[in-house]
């Protein structure tokens, strides 16, 4: 019997104006497993000694249930939390490094992501974050725990039916390539993009070898529109850095092609490309359509440089974070995260229902 492979590519802008009388089809996933950077870190960095990339203090989490900082780099929930709820798996994805996770949480999925990480392990080292290599090591330890809880056969079934989310790459450009000129001595932009895609390919193959089959892989956001980058490049009128946005678009185009190549080598896999670039750009260019007002600054402090330790309980915050695309100078607000999760629900999740 011929084995089929699948690649679903989401390239269009999510406008959230579709009216449906019938419910959206939803696939059944056993669990949700997350690898990546601060956009998906639900608190792993809380357990890293000496890391400055932490969000376990107010005002982070001020709009999270209970108004408590959890280590999430936002004022509230992340995209992965909303997706876990949409999929009826659980209300949020806990950090793997939490030593007190009950078996139920382990069985339904955890987050391995770390603020400051990237596909390039040198990026993580510079930020004292959990590298992708280390995230895979933690994943293998996690699999061993599942084997002890439920047995090897059931573990294989859980992993085969899990939704694996991979989201990284921004830090590789922001923390290493653009803002550390010595990085360009070894790579030009094209070479570095290809290097990161090579690292991604290794990551996916490692997960596939452990029975994972369903992958949601996000592209880069418009990194030239991140408030910190706008500040760093002294852009007039706080406009987006066009060259950095162009580089992100180019990377995303290469990513789509690379996913095709990877999938051809992995029978039975299903890879879904998630567009962040145009979805976030849509918020920035048309904020009035979503009740937003401020697009080029974060809610925390002046919104130009404040992030992590610089966004703290002594830092004044805006009156209404739901009017801001960004929470701090790097990370999206909860309302933006919710918008992205809705985009995934409408445009991406139904595609998983077509797997054969």
């Amino acid at each position: 019997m011929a084995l089929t492979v699948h690649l679903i590519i989401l390239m269009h802008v999510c406008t959230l104006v579709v009216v449906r009388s019938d419910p959206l089809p939803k696939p059944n996933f056993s669990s949700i497993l997350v690898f990546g950077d601060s956009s998906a870190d639900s608190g792993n960095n809380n357990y890293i000694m000496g890391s400055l990339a932490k969000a376990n203090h107010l005002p982070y989490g001020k709009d999270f249930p209970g108004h408590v900082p959890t280590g999430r780099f936002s004022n509230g929930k992340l995209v992965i939390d909303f997706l876990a709820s949409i999929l009826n798996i659980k209300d949020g994805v806990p950090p793997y490094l939490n030593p007190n996770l009950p078996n139920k949480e382990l069985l339904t999925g955890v987050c391995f992501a770390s603020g400051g990480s990237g596909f390039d392990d040198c990026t993580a080292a510079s930020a004292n974050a959990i590298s992708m290599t280390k995230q895979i090591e933690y994943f293998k330890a996690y699999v061993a725990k599942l084997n002890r809880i439920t047995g090897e056969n059931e573990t294989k079934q859980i992993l085969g039916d899990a939704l694996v989310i991979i989201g990284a790459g921004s830090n590789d450009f922001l923390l290493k390539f653009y803002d550390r000129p010595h990085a360009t001595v070894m790579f030009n932009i094209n070479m570095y993009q290809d290097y990161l895609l090579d690292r991604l390919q290794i990551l996916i193959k490692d997960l596939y070898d452990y029975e994972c089959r369903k992958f949601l892989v996000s592209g880069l956001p418009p990194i030239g529109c991140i408030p910190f980058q706008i500040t760093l490049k002294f852009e007039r009128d706080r406009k987006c850095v066009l060259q950095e946005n162009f580089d992100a678009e180019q990377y995303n185009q290469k990513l789509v092609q690379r996913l095709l190549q990877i999938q051809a080598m992995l029978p039975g896999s299903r890879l879904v490309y998630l567009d962040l670039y145009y979805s976030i750009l849509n918020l920035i260019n048309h904020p009035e359509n979503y009740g937003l007002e401020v697009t080029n600054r974060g809610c925390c402090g002046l919104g130009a440089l404040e992030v992590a330790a610089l966004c703290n309980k002594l830092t004044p915050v805006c009156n209404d974070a739901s009017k801001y695309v960004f929470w701090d100078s790097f990370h999206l607000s909860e309302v933006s995260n919710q918008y992205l999760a809705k985009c995934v629900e409408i445009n991406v999740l139904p595609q998983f229902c077509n797997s054969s």
Side-chain angles (χ1 to χ4, degrees):
M1 180 178 64
L3 292 173
T4 58
V5 295
H6 308 266
L7 176 67
I8 306 301
I9 301 174
L10 171 65
M11 293 296 290
H12 58 281
V13 175
C14 175
T15 58
L16 304 186
V17 295
V18 177
V19 177
R20 298 174 58 105
S21 58
D22 57 318
L24 287 166
K26 291 181 183 178
N28 291 318
F29 295 108
S30 61
S31 58
I32 184 168
L33 302 172
V34 184
F35 301 83
D37 55 25
S38 56
S39 63
D41 183 356
S42 58
N44 283 309
N45 277 19
N46 296 349
Y47 303 94
I48 303 176
M49 294 294 293
S51 174
L52 296 178
K54 292 185 179 182
N56 57 349
H57 54 268
L58 289 171
Y60 288 99
K62 77 178 192 68
D63 298 313
F64 193 81
H67 309 288
V68 294
T70 61
R72 290 167 170 82
F73 288 81
S74 186
N75 58 305
K77 291 186 176 183
L78 305 177
V79 174
I80 61 170
D81 298 313
F82 287 116
L83 288 180
S85 180
I86 288 170
L87 292 167
N88 297 317
I89 296 175
K90 50 187 168 184
D91 292 332
V93 186
Y96 173 71
L97 291 186
N98 181 344
N100 300 314
L101 290 179
N103 288 348
K104 180 181 179 180
E105 290 284 16
L106 292 172
L107 290 170
T108 51
V110 293
C111 170
F112 301 94
S114 172
S117 192
F119 293 124
D120 185 343
D121 282 356
C122 292
T123 300
S126 67
N128 196 20
I130 305 168
S131 68
M132 281 297 178
T133 299
K134 189 65 176 178
Q135 289 183 37
I136 286 294
E137 289 182 15
Y138 283 139
F139 167 74
K140 293 177 180 179
Y142 163 78
V143 172
K145 290 182 180 181
L146 290 188
N147 284 334
R148 291 193 293 271
I149 294 170
T150 191
E152 290 188 10
N153 290 336
E154 183 65 23
T155 293
K156 288 181 179 180
Q157 186 67 44
I158 290 172
L159 296 176
D161 292 334
L163 174 61
V164 179
I165 299 177
I166 302 174
S170 295
N171 288 330
D172 295 309
F173 293 98
L174 296 176
L175 303 182
K176 183 176 179 182
F177 192 84
Y178 292 137
D179 300 343
R180 297 188 180 188
H182 68 272
T184 60
V185 174
M186 294 180 60
F187 298 98
N188 60 38
I189 186 66
N190 285 301
M191 293 169 60
Y192 195 56
Q193 290 169 344
D194 293 341
Y195 172 74
L196 296 180
L197 293 173
D198 289 344
R199 300 298 301 175
L200 169 63
Q201 181 168 333
I202 293 170
L203 172 66
I204 292 175
K205 180 58 165 59
D206 283 345
L207 294 168
Y208 179 87
D209 288 343
Y210 273 76
E211 305 299 331
C212 296
R213 294 293 182 268
K214 301 170 184 179
F215 300 88
L216 176 59
V217 183
S218 66
L220 291 179
I223 54 182
C225 296
I226 292 174
F228 189 92
Q229 288 304 103
I230 294 174
T231 302
L232 205 63
K233 299 304 167 68
F234 302 101
E235 289 297 308
R236 293 184 59 186
D237 301 321
R238 294 197 62 78
K239 300 295 184 181
C240 299
V241 185
L242 295 182
Q243 182 60 51
E244 294 183 1
N245 278 358
F246 175 81
D247 292 342
E249 284 188 285
Q250 183 184 54
Y251 172 88
N252 290 339
Q253 292 167 5
K254 288 184 176 183
L255 172 59
V256 169
Q257 295 304 312
R258 182 61 69 94
L259 290 177
L260 285 168
Q261 296 169 14
I262 297 172
Q263 200 165 228
M265 298 183 296
L266 305 179
S269 65
R270 190 173 183 84
L271 276 68
V272 179
Y273 169 78
L274 170 62
D275 165 63
L276 293 181
Y277 185 92
Y278 291 106
S279 295
I280 294 175
L281 207 60
N282 187 42
L283 290 180
I284 293 171
N285 290 337
H286 306 287
E288 67 282 356
N289 292 344
Y290 307 97
L292 297 165
E293 296 176 0
V294 184
T295 64
N296 57 10
R297 296 180 183 274
C299 169
C300 187
L302 296 177
L305 292 172
E306 292 85 352
V307 64
L310 296 179
C311 176
N312 55 63
K313 63 182 181 180
L314 300 179
T315 309
V317 297
C318 66
N319 291 328
D320 187 356
S322 69
K323 301 297 183 182
Y324 285 68
V325 173
F326 294 92
W327 160 247
D328 60 20
S329 65
F330 267 93
H331 304 99
L332 296 174
S333 63
E334 181 182 59
V335 70
S336 296
N337 286 328
Q338 187 173 26
Y339 158 83
L340 290 178
K342 196 67 177 178
C343 287
V344 175
E345 180 183 16
I346 293 173
N347 294 318
V348 180
L349 293 182
Q351 305 300 331
F352 281 103
C353 297
N354 299 328
S355 60
S356 59

